[in-house]
């Protein structure tokens, strides 16, 4: 499976969530970039977030966000660090 632009945009939205506080959601305003609005809508359709414009992570969304953020941390680490 290869990463599509849509999947990368969804991973970007998942990375915006604060995993240290599950009571802290996101509100994606209508003035946000259209790709962000669309990514949030897709995440909602997949059952990962509670509202089409953000809201809170669902249990499955928490798991997905944990994996997405962990992958970003690993890949952003400089070699030998």
């Amino acid at each position: 499976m290869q990463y599509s632009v849509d999947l990368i945009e969804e991973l970007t939205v998942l990375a915006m969530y604060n995993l240290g506080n599950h009571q802290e959601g996101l509100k994606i305003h209508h003035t946000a970039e259209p790709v962000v609005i669309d990514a949030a809508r897709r995440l909602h359709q997949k059952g990962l977030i509670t509202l089409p414009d953000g809201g809170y992570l669902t249990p499955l969304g928490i798991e997905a966000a944990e994996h997405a953020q962990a992958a970003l941390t690993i890949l952003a680490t400089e070699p030998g660090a």
Side-chain angles (χ1 to χ4, degrees), residues 1 5 9-11 15 17-18 21 27 29 32 34-36 46-47 52 58 60 65 68 70 72 74 76-77:
M1 174 183 202
V5 172
E9 291 162 356
E10 291 168 17
L11 289 167
Y17 279 90
N18 177 2
N21 182 358
K27 172 64 176 162
H29 296 276
V35 295
V36 174
K46 294 176 180 181
T58 64
L60 182 59
L72 285 171
I74 292 166
T77 303

Side-chain angles (χ1 to χ4, degrees), residues 40-52:
R41 189 175 306 118
R42 289 191 305 272
L43 290 171
H44 178 256
Q45 291 170 344
K46 294 176 180 181
L48 299 177
I49 60 177
T50 59
L51 298 170

Side-chain angles (χ1 to χ4, degrees), residues 57-75:
L57 292 166
T58 64
L60 182 59
I62 291 169
E63 184 176 348
E66 288 172 344
H67 289 292
Q69 291 184 24
L72 285 171
T73 299
I74 292 166
L75 294 172

Side-chain angles (χ1 to χ4, degrees), residues 13-47:
V13 171
L14 288 173
M16 294 177 186
Y17 279 90
N18 177 2
L19 294 175
N21 182 358
H22 294 227
Q23 298 301 314
E24 184 179 321
L26 288 181
K27 172 64 176 162
I28 298 172
H29 296 276
H30 68 281
T31 57
E33 292 289 325
V35 295
V36 174
I37 294 169
D38 292 341
R41 189 175 306 118
R42 289 191 305 272
L43 290 171
H44 178 256
Q45 291 170 344
K46 294 176 180 181

